[in-house]
Amino acid sequence: MAVTAEISCIPMGTGQASVSAHVAAALRALEQHPDVRYELTAMGTALAGQRDAVLAACGAMHAAVLASGAPRCYTIVKLDERTDKQMDFAEKVASVREKL
């Protein structure tokens, strides 16, 4: 079953305020999961795909932040799975916008 998710990988202990290099490393890892669609936002990354593929991508992103030199990575994953119909993140946004 398809799921949508939002992930934020937060590098900690880097000694710098900027985290963009670590986020870029996470996105490079995500690109190795072609079955997962994604959209980068200012506060996280939206993902869509089959549950196992999305969760594997989340694990790879977390590991990539650690591999990029962050001594600690705090990762938040929100997962949304509907069993009554399939819907990706673009459709969710469109549904709200049509009601505005």
Side-chain angles (χ1 to χ4, degrees), residues 5-7 27 30 36-48 61 88-91 93 97:
E6 182 179 60
I7 184 170
L27 287 175
L30 177 55
V36 177
R37 294 178 315 283
Y38 70 93
E39 183 176 319
L40 176 65
T41 73
M43 299 297 291
T45 304
L47 310 172
M61 292 173 74
D88 68 17
F89 47 81
E91 292 170 320
V93 171
R97 288 185 192 261

Side-chain angles (χ1 to χ4, degrees), residues 12-69:
M12 300 177 73
T14 64
Q16 297 181 358
S18 176
V19 297
S20 60
H22 301 288
V23 172
L27 287 175
R28 282 192 293 277
L30 177 55
E31 289 173 349
Q32 301 305 307
H33 296 265
D35 294 338
V36 177
R37 294 178 315 283
Y38 70 93
E39 183 176 319
L40 176 65
T41 73
M43 299 297 291
T45 304
L47 310 172
Q50 295 300 309
R51 181 190 328 120
D52 290 345
V54 168
L55 291 175
C58 288
M61 292 173 74
H62 177 88
V65 170
L66 293 171
S68 72

